[in-house]
Amino acid sequence: MSIDLSQFFEVFFEESFEGLDTMESELLNLQPGDLDSETINTIFRAAHSIKGGSGTFGFSSVADFTHVLETLLDQIRDGRRTLEPEHVNLLLQSVDCLRLLLSGLQAEQDPDLTQSVALRKEFERILDNSSGAVVAKPAAVQVIADSPVSIDTLQISFKPFHHLFKTGNEPLFMISELSELGSLDVTANIEDLPNIHDMQPDDCYLSWTFFLETTESEQRVKEVFEWVEDDAELAITVCGGLFELDDEPAILPVLEVKSEGGSFDKTIKEPPSSLPKVESEASSSKNSAPAKAAESTSIRVSIDKVDSLINMVGELVITQAMLTQLGEGEITDNKIMALQEGLAQLAHNTRDLQESVMRIRMLPISFVFSRFPRLVRDTSQKLGKQVELKLLGEQTELDKTVMEKISDPMVHLVRNSLDHGLETPDVRIKAGKNPVGKVTLNSFHQGGNIVIEIMDDGNGLNTQKIRSKALQSGLINETDELTDDQINELIFMPGFSTADEVSDISGRGVGMDVVRRNILSLNGSIEVTSEQGVGSTFTIRLPLTLAILDGQLVTIGQHTYIIPLISIVESLQVDTSKVNSVGGGLDVLRLRDEYVPILRLYQIFNHTGAIEELDKGLLVVVESDNQKVGLLVDDLLAQQQVVIKSLEANYQKVEGVSGATILGDGRVSLIVDITGLIKLAGLKKAGRQELAIDALGVN
């Protein structure tokens, strides 16, 4: 009887990725000449497990590559070979290579063997060198010296959606980065350009066709566009090698390449003018884009949490049996009292069960922090800087969903600290600092939130440079009086950058506004504090989970809405003497030292029968992205935790609404999205200064 091994694939992949994480962590702790047998044995065991599992399941590409890696590790742990810096670099590259191979297999794609073949030759060359001398290339080398350099010509079709500029992305930066990858030919397409009278100044109407001759992989080229995948149509087609290799035009295959998300499906329509048209051919595994690692769909839970959950279920069963018994027979006053006590006990058990279930989804943030030692090591080497990474609060627990979505913004912030924050060793020495810069990641709980800090002891933000750039960009005026903190906050504005040139470390054509937008999508916030010459601190505040929300119930006419408590600043009755009307029919309330726009929710959500007079309703002052607005509601109800249900998954996206929940009486209540509501009302952050000026003028 044959056994279907595919049922065990997912477990194998999860354990293999965990093994690779272990290998990477231990390799980063190794020093040249290090003979720490336990560390080397740990690395060897992880590689051996991956090799054994891949051999069992028939993944020969992984098994064969891991075998030669395991051989080198075996010689090092037996003392037959000395650990050299080149060995550590090569082993770290192998970890990356194995991740790509396993990700491709997990996605049921033919793996790209280009890198594994090159690395395997390096391992074999080291192993064949019986004297122990290392002849491997430095870490950055991807191709063996005696192998021909493979140059491909890629046709790249890049058609941004009209709203691209509104996301803070700039095509010019992407074109500049593409030009660094090889010889670039650029053609701008203007067929979608409307009549000048129909143009919107903040819409993008151009698209581009690029021909790039490069030695880089398609995946590397795709990384240039990784921040705009959802905001553009992108197609990359492999056309072959350099055009000038032959006197006659080469017959080159036209390949179809899909984006990692699978949402794009574009093929080349016209080859270069010097080439004849050819029919599409099937993509080979060599040209397939490396698969993106699949998101983990399981959680490892400690036995203590499972035991607690079982105990809670047991308590529920006992309470249910008690209530069932009370419902039998004649109803008396004593039974009614006992029934009330039983219902209170049921509510208590339900809350305990809810907390136990939520604890199962909570994972230590070390799962995110663990990726940064490698990132800091590789980036600091590339920048020629000496950096010490300090991790604090690694056991602070966070919901798995939040953790997965905060990882990319944190990577951008750490890269930003390494690239722009920390100085080079010679500059630090001249400033009287330790030549080794320090980056600290810290996390801790604060109330119902988790706080993550990214700190560096670098040069800090250049406030004057930020102000000058903001003036050049028209974000502020010469007459605006802003504090240093307010000026520093301008780095989060769309399209803002103080970098004199775009690097592939941080930026990549992407501004800090994208980081803030991603954090806001998690109902979180980010702020920055900085001191010139001392360093900077970016502080991220996030809810512990996206599944449950602490909310304030409010009524608008016959409808009940929920406003997230984390967004509420205060609630008050409106003093109409402090209300002024500005352009566009907008009212603003003078609240202490600032002017707060008033949004009438019954108008935005098109409800009738609601309170329309300001002095008869209540104003809930909320804040999002450092902008305050007042929401006019009829009345405030209770505060309670609600379970969030996705509208997009069950219905469709609704502007100004982040989700829905079911109330105790069975009615559906919508959860207000404060950021979306501000956009829906047409209040732009850039217009806050003008709003305040207009209000002052009225008064």
Side-chain angles (χ1 to χ4, degrees), residues 555-558 574 576 579 581 585 587 598-604 606-619 630-635:
T555 58
I556 306 169
Q558 302 300 315
V574 179
T576 54
V579 175
S581 296
D587 292 333
I598 297 175
L599 302 184
R600 301 171 184 265
L601 292 184
Y602 71 87
Q603 289 182 342
I604 294 175
N606 197 27
H607 293 320
T608 57
I611 294 176
E612 300 183 10
E613 295 82 2
L614 292 177
D615 56 345
K616 294 183 179 178
L618 293 174
L619 199 68
L631 307 180
L632 179 64
V633 302
D634 291 6
D635 198 4

Side-chain angles (χ1 to χ4, degrees), residues 376-579:
V376 171
R377 175 188 184 274
D378 292 349
T379 305
S380 59
Q381 283 186 353
K382 186 171 185 178
L383 294 171
K385 298 179 179 179
Q386 300 176 26
V387 182
E388 175 191 353
L389 176 65
K390 191 172 184 180
L391 304 177
L392 303 174
E394 294 178 83
Q395 296 308 310
T396 304
E397 290 192 332
L398 181 63
D399 187 278
K400 178 177 182 288
T401 306
V402 180
M403 188 178 301
E404 289 169 347
K405 294 183 178 180
I406 195 58
S407 180
D408 286 344
M410 284 187 64
V411 167
H412 189 89
L413 291 171
V414 171
R415 280 177 170 166
N416 190 73
S417 292
L418 295 172
D419 194 9
H420 303 304
L422 295 180
E423 314 93 330
T424 56
D426 55 333
V427 173
R428 292 180 65 87
I429 291 173
K430 289 180 181 178
K433 292 184 175 181
N434 188 321
V436 180
K438 182 182 291 185
V439 173
T440 303
L441 303 183
N442 183 29
S443 66
F444 54 90
H445 287 142
Q446 190 176 76
N449 299 324
I450 183 173
V451 178
I452 302 173
E453 295 177 329
I454 297 97
M455 300 173 280
D456 67 71
D457 64 348
N459 197 39
L461 296 178
N462 190 329
T463 305
Q464 291 305 314
K465 188 173 183 179
I466 293 173
R467 189 175 190 279
S468 298
K469 287 280 188 177
L471 288 171
Q472 293 175 17
S473 305
L475 296 176
I476 60 174
N477 300 317
E478 287 282 2
T479 56
D480 293 336
E481 295 183 2
L482 301 175
T483 65
D484 287 351
D485 288 341
Q486 289 173 325
I487 293 173
N488 290 337
E489 287 286 328
L490 294 174
I491 65 174
F492 295 110
M493 296 294 285
F496 185 86
S497 175
T498 58
D500 296 323
E501 58 184 39
V502 178
S503 71
D504 61 352
I505 303 299
S506 61
R508 306 172 63 84
V510 178
M512 296 291 284
D513 64 300
V514 177
V515 174
R516 167 169 275 182
R517 187 170 71 244
N518 290 342
I519 292 172
L520 288 176
S521 69
L522 299 174
N523 296 324
S525 64
I526 180 172
E527 60 187 35
V528 57
T529 57
S530 179
E531 184 177 348
Q532 190 77 34
V534 177
S536 303
T537 299
F538 289 88
T539 303
I540 302 171
R541 287 182 173 83
L542 297 168
L544 290 178
T545 177
L546 297 180
I548 291 181
L549 173 77
D550 289 317
Q552 170 68 60
L553 276 63
V554 301
T555 58
I556 306 169
Q558 302 300 315
H559 303 272
T560 301
Y561 285 85
I562 296 171
I563 300 175
L565 275 180
I566 192 174
S567 301
I568 297 178
V569 178
E570 60 183 302
S571 303
L572 50 89
Q573 289 184 315
V574 179
D575 182 353
T576 54
S577 66
K578 296 182 179 179
V579 175

Side-chain angles (χ1 to χ4, degrees), residues 577-596:
S577 66
K578 296 182 179 179
V579 175
N580 295 314
S581 296
V582 296
L586 180 68
D587 292 333
V588 295
L589 172 68
R590 189 171 72 249
L591 185 62
R592 291 180 285 277
D593 296 329
E594 55 187 327
Y595 285 82
V596 178

Side-chain angles (χ1 to χ4, degrees), residues 167-430:
T167 67
N169 289 293
E170 171 54 66
L172 182 61
F173 293 153
M174 301 173 205
I175 296 173
S176 174
E177 187 172 356
L178 272 181
S179 67
E180 296 175 1
L181 302 182
S183 177
L184 183 67
D185 178 72
V186 182
T187 301
N189 307 314
I190 60 173
E191 61 268 15
D192 293 335
L193 204 61
N195 185 287
I196 191 170
H197 299 293
D198 299 326
M199 284 188 181
Q200 297 296 325
D202 53 356
D203 279 355
C204 179
Y205 299 103
L206 294 178
S207 61
W208 289 269
T209 300
F210 309 106
F211 285 97
L212 175 65
E213 293 175 344
T214 181
T215 59
E216 299 285 350
S217 66
E218 290 176 34
Q219 181 63 20
R220 174 65 184 89
V221 175
K222 274 188 165 187
E223 288 176 0
V224 175
F225 303 96
E226 63 184 351
W227 285 88
V228 295
E229 279 187 344
D230 298 329
D231 301 304
E233 291 181 0
L234 177 68
I236 302 177
T237 305
V238 180
C239 300
L242 292 171
F243 296 134
E244 60 268 29
L245 289 178
D246 299 302
D247 294 333
E248 297 295 328
I251 305 298
L252 301 176
V254 178
L255 301 177
E256 179 180 314
V257 179
K258 290 188 177 182
S259 75
E260 292 178 0
S263 56
F264 308 130
D265 189 2
K266 301 292 181 181
T267 58
I268 181 172
K269 295 183 179 179
E270 293 291 336
S273 57
S274 60
L275 301 175
K277 293 183 181 179
V278 294
E279 296 296 327
S280 297
E281 297 181 3
S283 300
S284 67
S285 62
K286 178 180 179 180
N287 292 321
S288 299
K292 188 174 183 179
E295 200 172 87
S296 177
T297 56
S298 63
I299 302 176
R300 292 200 172 186
V301 182
S302 69
I303 193 66
D304 292 340
K305 291 182 178 180
V306 176
D307 288 343
S308 175
L309 187 62
I310 293 173
N311 289 336
M312 291 301 102
V313 173
E315 293 290 333
L316 271 177
V317 171
I318 294 172
T319 304
Q320 183 265 340
M322 179 185 68
L323 292 174
T324 301
Q325 185 176 359
L326 288 172
E328 297 174 351
E330 183 181 352
I331 302 299
T332 64
D333 291 341
N334 290 336
K335 277 193 173 183
I336 292 176
M337 293 179 60
L339 185 62
Q340 290 174 336
E341 293 176 358
L343 290 174
Q345 182 64 35
L346 179 64
H348 176 74
N349 291 341
T350 303
R351 282 194 303 270
D352 288 346
L353 180 62
Q354 172 188 306
E355 292 175 1
S356 294
V357 172
M358 293 309 302
R359 280 198 296 271
I360 287 180
R361 292 173 55 97
M362 306 294 278
L363 297 173
I365 201 170
S366 58
F367 282 92
V368 176
F369 281 7
S370 62
R371 69 185 299 178
F372 290 104
R374 173 73 184 280
L375 173 69
V376 171
R377 175 188 184 274
D378 292 349
T379 305
S380 59
Q381 283 186 353
K382 186 171 185 178
L383 294 171
K385 298 179 179 179
Q386 300 176 26
V387 182
E388 175 191 353
L389 176 65
K390 191 172 184 180
L391 304 177
L392 303 174
E394 294 178 83
Q395 296 308 310
T396 304
E397 290 192 332
L398 181 63
D399 187 278
K400 178 177 182 288
T401 306
V402 180
M403 188 178 301
E404 289 169 347
K405 294 183 178 180
I406 195 58
S407 180
D408 286 344
M410 284 187 64
V411 167
H412 189 89
L413 291 171
V414 171
R415 280 177 170 166
N416 190 73
S417 292
L418 295 172
D419 194 9
H420 303 304
L422 295 180
E423 314 93 330
T424 56
D426 55 333
V427 173
R428 292 180 65 87
I429 291 173
K430 289 180 181 178

Side-chain angles (χ1 to χ4, degrees), residues 60-120:
S60 57
S61 59
V62 176
D64 293 346
F65 178 69
T66 313
H67 173 73
V68 68
L69 181 153
E70 181 188 54
T71 303
L72 176 62
L73 287 169
D74 192 37
Q75 292 184 3
I76 293 173
R77 72 171 185 159
D78 290 346
R80 286 176 284 163
R81 189 175 295 273
T82 304
L83 181 69
E84 302 289 344
E86 289 79 4
H87 295 161
V88 177
N89 288 332
L90 197 60
L91 289 168
L92 284 170
Q93 284 187 79
S94 301
V95 170
D96 296 337
C97 180
L98 284 170
R99 279 201 183 100
L100 287 175
L101 291 175
L102 290 167
S103 297
L105 291 168
Q106 189 178 29
E108 299 182 355
Q109 297 178 359
D110 291 334
D112 185 348
L113 302 179
T114 306
Q115 187 182 16
S116 64
V117 169
L119 289 173
R120 183 171 179 172

